[in-house]
Structures are given as C-alpha cells and as structure tokens.
Amino acid sequence: MKRNLSALKKALQFGISGAVGGFAGNLITEPFMQRLPGSESFFDSVLSTGRWFGLVGGGIATAIMFGYYYYIKGKPQIKQALKNGGLFGLIAGAISGAIAEGIYSGIGDGNNELLRVICWGIAGSLLGLGLAQRIPNLGALRGTGGGGVGGVLGGCLFILFAYNLSGNADPLAQCAGRLSGCAAIGFWIGIMLVVAETLFNKAWLVISYDTGANRTLTLGSEPVTFGSDENFSIICIPNVSPLAMRFQLEAGQIVCENVDSGAMTYLRSGDQKRIGNCTITVGNSDLPAPTSANIPPTFISDQPAVNSFTSAPFSLKLGSRVIPLSVGTQLFTSDIPSLTAAVSNGLVAIVTSRSRNELSLGLTNLSDRAWWATDIQGDIKMVEPESTLTLALGTQIEFGEIDGEIV
C-alpha cells in the first residue's frame, strides 16, 4: 500500500512537472511560430519542427528532472535539473521532432491525424529514452515505452486542443492551443514514465521517514546510495556517514552494503533496514516460491538446538544466547526469527557432516534466503539456500537482521 501511494504521488509530481516544462518550452518558441502557409519546403519544415520540439523537449526534460530531484531530496535542485535535463532534452527533442515531422510530411498528406499521433509517440519515446539515461534504474525499455505511450496520449490531447482552440484565425486561440497541447504531452510523458517504472520493475525500495513521508525508488544495476553527503548519496540522511549504505540488484538478488562496517546483506521482499530518520523496506516482484531443500547425507538428531549435545566442538552465539553445534543440531525459526524456512516444518539450518569427524562440520542453509559469512581473515562469502558453510571459529554470519558468530 505504501508503495502504491508513493508511486501515485511520484507519478503526479512527474506529470505536473512535465506539463509545466512543456508549457514553458512552447512559450519560448511562440515568437517564432508565425509561418506563411505553403512557404516552407520539406527540409525547412523538418528543421523548423526540430527546433520547436527541441525547446519543448528541453523544457519537459528539465522540468521532469526537477520533479525527480525534488521527489527524492525534498528540496528544489534547479541547477542539477538544468545540467542533467536541459541539454540532452534539447538534443533529444530536436532529433525526435525532426524525425516525427519527416515521417508526417514525407508519407502523410498533412491531414492524417492518426499518423500525427504516431509521430507524437515516436517523439515521446525518444525523449523517454533520453530521460532513462538520467534517472537511475529507470531503464531504456521502460523509458522508451513510457515516453512513447505518454507521447501518444499527450498527442491525442494536443490534436484535440488544436481543433478546439487553434482552428480559427485568432492568434491568441492558436497560441493557447499549442501551449495546452505541449503541456498535455509533458504531463502524460511524466505520468507514463512512472507507470512503466512501477509496473515493470523487479525490485524497489520504499523509504518511510519518521515524519510520515514515503518515497519509492527502483532498484537495478546502478546502486541506490544513502548518506549525509549529496555528492555521494542519492538519498540524503542527516547525522549519518557521508556514504552510509548502498542497495543494488545483482544477478536477481538484492544486496545491501553497510559502507561503514563493510558488511553485505542479501535481502528478500519485506526485509527492512534502519538508517538515520528513515526505515527502508525492500520489495521484490520476482521472489521465488519456497521449495523443498535438499539435505545432504548426514547424521541427524531429532533434538532441537537447545537440547543438542553439550560437548559440541562449535557453538553459535546469537546476542546473549549460545547454542552448541553438533552433528544433527537443528535450528528453527524460533532460534533465528529473521529467517523463514523453505518448507513448513520451520527448520532453517542444520549442522551436517560428510564423515564421522566431529571437527569437520558444516551449517546447511534450509531457509529461503541467503546468508553472508565473514571469516577471521575478512573474506565474505554468500551462503545460498541448500548450500553449506564450513564451520570455523570466529566466523561472523549475518542471518538478515540477526548477526551470529561461531565460537
């Protein structure tokens, strides 16, 4: 629910920003919009439309980037919006406008409104592709698709406004039609970028602030960073390290790195991290369904961890608790509440041995998520479900929100 509400707020913010940008971009071009009918050749028409939509596209891109920065940082970032939106939006808009006009004038008869809408879709898709290079983890496919759909929807409204407001000789009415149409195009491009991002992303973060505000960011190959320094962090959190935490999607797995400690955590949908004044909740649409774990051949005891052999060569320290580990020792969700069993019996780990040597033991992961283990040399290893970690003194194991140590 928090994600949906946050995504709706984000979509409206992007849409309104895009509308303002489209309106402003067209307003700048209005003094140059007076043309004599039939006075332009095909080349001049393409060049004129490219110049016009270049300014409109620059306005839309700048405004959407402004909306993006305001959404994630909570304050205006005009300089950054101009830097990352103005020039590329101008170029992308000019290219897409010229291509669209070339198609429309080259194969159309000047009255084919369906072709005009398709051309607006082409212009919007190229503009969305350009924005995808500036908005982290939006993705080229989602940016192109969202921009294309937004261009088509906005183009329909542009034509509607053109008929109703521009279909007479009154210059003010014609100007109002173009302004309204460009605002509609910017609005729908902004809206559909967020819709495409929300519908087709694989993983995301919902950031819940103590003030009650929520923000949603898509996870991907580009890290989402948290810290107090804007030069290092996408999300700025006061009173923490300049770069405190980093989230990333790697090979379908959500990884969180605590930059201060160097610890890395594999997260599943619903896991939370706390940093500064906010709580970060992980979402994953591709979380695999739990499957039965394959337990390797071992000597298994029917006793739970608390009743296992007291002469165990190793123990697992979980906070103030120390659990002896011997061949067959079973750990349940009651022992490690941060884990969920892959099957319904609640078993999340078992101590195994491939021989009768009590000093050669392993801890097999029977949960539905990976663990992270750090040995005394500082080497980090991921212990995936159904795999086994060889027990060694001093090994630190991160079971989600709970940390353990082999003693």
Side-chain angles (χ1 to χ4, degrees), residues 94-113:
I95 293 174
S96 61
I99 291 175
E101 178 63 28
I103 294 173
Y104 183 74
S105 299
I107 65 176
D109 57 3
N111 296 309
N112 190 330
E113 300 304 333

Side-chain angles (χ1 to χ4, degrees), residues 66-361:
F66 178 88
Y68 167 74
Y69 288 126
Y70 190 82
Y71 176 78
I72 63 173
K73 297 182 182 295
K75 59 181 180 180
Q77 301 279 312
I78 299 177
K79 184 177 180 180
Q80 276 188 296
L82 284 170
K83 177 183 177 182
N84 294 319
L87 180 60
F88 97 85
L90 180 68
I91 295 173
I95 293 174
S96 61
I99 291 175
E101 178 63 28
I103 294 173
Y104 183 74
S105 299
I107 65 176
D109 57 3
N111 296 309
N112 190 330
E113 300 304 333
L114 176 60
L115 181 59
R116 189 193 296 269
V117 169
I118 294 174
C119 289
W120 279 121
I122 294 172
S125 64
L126 293 178
L127 193 59
L129 177 61
L131 284 166
Q133 312 306 312
R134 294 295 188 273
I135 299 177
N137 298 317
L138 172 60
L141 188 60
R142 290 192 292 266
T144 302
V149 174
V152 168
L153 294 175
C156 291
L157 290 177
F158 186 98
I159 294 171
L160 178 64
F161 292 138
Y163 273 128
N164 290 336
L165 298 176
S166 302
N168 56 66
D170 186 356
L172 289 178
Q174 294 176 355
C175 176
R178 288 189 293 269
L179 289 170
S180 300
C182 288
I185 290 171
F187 177 81
W188 281 110
I189 288 177
I191 287 281
M192 293 311 300
L193 285 176
V194 179
V195 170
E197 178 187 50
T198 303
L199 289 179
F200 300 107
N201 61 359
K202 294 182 178 180
W204 59 88
L205 300 177
V206 177
I207 306 163
S208 303
Y209 293 87
D210 293 343
T211 58
N214 294 298
R215 293 186 176 92
T216 301
L217 291 181
T218 295
L219 276 179
S221 58
E222 186 172 344
V224 177
T225 52
F226 293 77
S228 58
D229 192 330
E230 292 185 356
N231 295 319
F232 300 110
S233 305
I234 293 177
I235 302 296
C236 293
I237 307 293
N239 304 319
V240 299
S241 300
L243 178 57
M245 199 170 288
R246 181 186 290 117
F247 292 81
Q248 193 170 4
L249 188 64
E250 295 182 351
Q253 297 177 333
I254 302 171
V255 180
C256 171
E257 178 185 359
N258 187 319
V259 180
D260 292 330
S261 65
M264 300 181 69
T265 310
Y266 171 83
L267 302 175
R268 59 185 174 86
S269 187
D271 281 351
Q272 294 184 333
K273 290 285 186 179
R274 178 74 183 177
I275 176 173
N277 62 349
C278 69
T279 300
I280 304 164
T281 305
V282 173
N284 184 359
S285 61
D286 289 343
L287 184 67
T291 57
S292 298
N294 296 322
I295 303 175
T298 184
F299 306 101
I300 301 177
S301 167
D302 292 330
Q303 301 299 319
V306 293
N307 294 325
S308 295
F309 305 115
T310 57
S311 60
F314 298 103
S315 295
L316 176 63
K317 184 178 180 182
L318 296 168
S320 60
R321 297 180 59 204
V322 177
I323 302 174
L325 301 179
S326 296
V327 174
T329 299
Q330 301 173 12
L331 300 175
F332 294 86
T333 53
S334 57
D335 298 309
I336 312 177
S338 60
L339 297 180
T340 301
V343 292
S344 60
N345 61 6
L347 188 63
V348 295
I350 189 168
V351 179
T352 61
S353 175
R354 297 185 184 277
S355 69
R356 295 187 179 272
N357 182 2
E358 284 279 327
L359 297 178
S360 179
L361 301 180

